[in-house]
Amino acid sequence: MTPTANWSYPTAIRFGAGRIKELAEACKAAGISRPLLVTDKGLAPLPITAGALDVLEGAGLGRALFSEVDPNPTESNLAEGVRMFREGGHDGVIAFGGGSGLDLGKMVAFMAGQTRPVWDFEDIGDWWTRADADAIHPNICVPTTAGTGSEVGRASVLTNSETHEKKIIFHPKVLPSVVIADPELTVGMPQPITAGTGMDAFAHCLEAYCSPHYHPMSQGIALEGMRLVKENLPRAYADGADLEARAHMMSAAMMGATAFQKGLGAIHAISHPVGAIYHTHHGTTNAAVMARVLDFNRPAIEDRIAMAARYLGIDGGFEGFREAVTEMIADLGIPSSLSGLGIDAPDIDAILRGALKDPSTGGNPIEMTEENTRPLIEACFD
């Protein structure tokens, strides 16, 4: 039996198999009468997208679709989405898909009523207060993967197509009004996407757990999220139709994104510029650098990881945890280094600049400097 529940943390979540049928009701709850469904190019022609549009059309909410969304969405994608939103007279967005569709959809709802450029709202200090809060449209998120957890986030990651930098755009009102978390929508995910997105969820939980900042609630959520991934990602990978495992992975994804309010770290600080420059899959990139970052942070996290290992039923403390994670990554068919992702002659200097500028560095247990981060990045390619 797969779990079904209604949650209100951190927003209203309709969780359970088949609940995509409630999409029109969710629009009503969010005050949306003319929704624009935003998804990526790969999902647009698939039956799950057609099914969602059928639900909307059947309820008299139209069938508007925008799908010009790249795997690492850019400001150009955003501009096109905003143009379609305005020209269509829409009053809200349904962000549908994996991290790219969810992030871009949330940004369309956010930016459609703004007059300043999107980069003015980067997650720096109180820059979010520059936005006209009354002009932000509601969004509903419908994840079709189990990884980013963007469906419960107040921010989106957007790639600057000129500088090849990933930027985090934040505003409290970017948080979706309603989330529909239906594990049936993830059944068709290919194995590599199941693996990569699942390891993204694990990376969120792991880095939040290791972050030195004080946030006991996030700490507990991160620990249980790691357990759910450890026990259910191999099952979902082996049998994509295992709805129970798929459901637990959807929970873990949302838990990771909730937990990383406590902070992220070097895994994401390196993964962001690598993805922006070389267009690698984000979660897969996280997994490829995970073991090296564990080693880098070991002096500061060894005891904490040993406690996590005991909770996860792993013997051997830090070493046992590292070995278990490495084995899981290998069993999922993910390379153990960035060189395995097809990156030839990497620009270490460019990756280093991006990593040190990334806000994730603030949550790393050990301070990241040019002197210690360069060898870490080089090790990630070994």
Side-chain angles (χ1 to χ4, degrees):
M1 189 176 86
T2 59
T4 300
N6 292 337
W7 295 323
S8 57
Y9 180 73
T11 189
I13 300 170
R14 302 181 181 212
F15 186 97
R19 300 198 70 175
I20 189 62
K21 297 173 184 176
E22 301 174 27
L23 184 56
E25 296 173 32
C27 286
K28 182 178 180 181
I32 300 173
S33 59
R34 289 184 57 80
L36 174 66
L37 191 146
V38 176
T39 192
D40 63 63
K41 299 171 186 176
L43 273 178
L46 297 186
I48 57 172
T49 308
L53 292 169
D54 288 344
V55 172
L56 296 175
E57 189 174 41
L61 297 176
R63 200 181 180 88
L65 172 69
F66 175 74
S67 61
E68 292 303 308
V69 181
D70 294 324
N72 290 298
T74 68
E75 79 282 4
S76 298
N77 298 152
L78 176 59
E80 282 300 303
V82 167
R83 181 188 61 78
M84 184 171 180
F85 184 97
R86 290 172 176 168
E87 291 180 356
H90 299 289
D91 61 357
V93 167
I94 297 168
F96 187 92
S100 57
L102 299 183
D103 278 3
L104 201 282
K106 292 193 301 182
M107 283 295 96
V108 170
F110 173 58
M111 287 299 297
Q114 305 301 318
T115 57
R116 300 179 68 143
V118 68
W119 309 124
D120 282 3
F121 309 115
E122 188 178 353
D123 190 14
I124 297 174
D126 63 353
W127 284 18
W128 64 272
T129 61
R130 298 170 171 177
D132 181 352
D134 293 334
I136 300 173
H137 296 276
N139 75 82
I140 293 168
C141 275
V142 184
T144 63
T145 64
T148 71
S150 183
E151 63 270 19
V152 293
R154 300 171 296 167
S156 290
V157 178
L158 203 63
T159 299
N160 186 315
S161 60
E162 294 183 2
T163 65
H164 302 291
E165 292 178 301
K166 286 193 174 185
K167 302 286 188 179
I168 298 173
I169 312 301
F170 168 85
H171 194 282
K173 290 186 71 174
V174 168
L175 182 70
S177 300
V178 183
V179 174
I180 293 181
D182 183 344
E184 288 184 350
L185 300 179
T186 69
V187 167
M189 269 199 297
Q191 277 191 319
I193 302 301
T194 297
T197 54
M199 287 308 301
D200 192 23
F202 189 83
H204 291 161
C205 292
L206 173 62
E207 292 211 287
Y209 178 77
C210 292
S211 167
H213 302 312
Y214 180 74
H215 199 320
M217 290 181 287
S218 289
Q219 191 78 350
I221 292 169
L223 185 59
E224 176 64 3
M226 283 193 284
R227 185 190 70 83
L228 287 176
V229 175
K230 173 181 175 289
E231 295 182 2
N232 292 282
L233 179 54
R235 286 174 53 185
Y237 181 79
D239 178 6
D242 185 337
L243 267 183
E244 183 180 52
R246 291 290 196 188
H248 288 316
M249 285 304 301
M250 291 199 92
S251 291
M254 290 187 286
M255 292 166 74
T258 302
F260 71 57
Q261 294 179 47
K262 183 172 178 279
L264 291 170
I267 290 174
H268 278 78
I270 295 171
S271 179
H272 282 153
V274 168
I277 298 168
Y278 301 105
H279 309 293
T280 55
H281 182 269
H282 174 65
T284 305
T285 309
N286 284 343
V289 306
M290 191 172 289
R292 305 305 195 286
V293 173
L294 279 170
D295 294 339
F296 177 80
N297 285 322
R298 181 171 184 167
I301 64 172
E302 186 165 5
D303 291 343
R304 182 171 294 189
I305 289 295
M307 287 190 292
R310 289 196 294 271
Y311 181 76
L312 298 176
I314 298 170
D315 295 328
F318 179 93
E319 287 291 346
F321 181 91
R322 186 192 187 284
E323 182 178 352
V325 168
T326 302
E327 288 180 0
M328 179 168 64
I329 291 169
D331 290 344
L332 294 170
I334 296 175
S336 60
S337 74
L338 291 174
S339 58
L341 300 184
I343 302 172
D344 298 321
D347 187 339
I348 300 296
D349 288 336
I351 297 170
L352 177 63
R353 286 194 299 271
L356 293 179
K357 290 169 63 177
D358 194 276
S360 300
T361 58
N364 201 65
I366 291 177
E367 182 182 2
M368 296 174 66
T369 66
E370 183 171 349
E371 290 71 25
N372 64 16
T373 305
R374 180 184 292 276
L376 170 60
I377 293 171
E378 291 171 346
C380 289
F381 282 93
D382 290 342

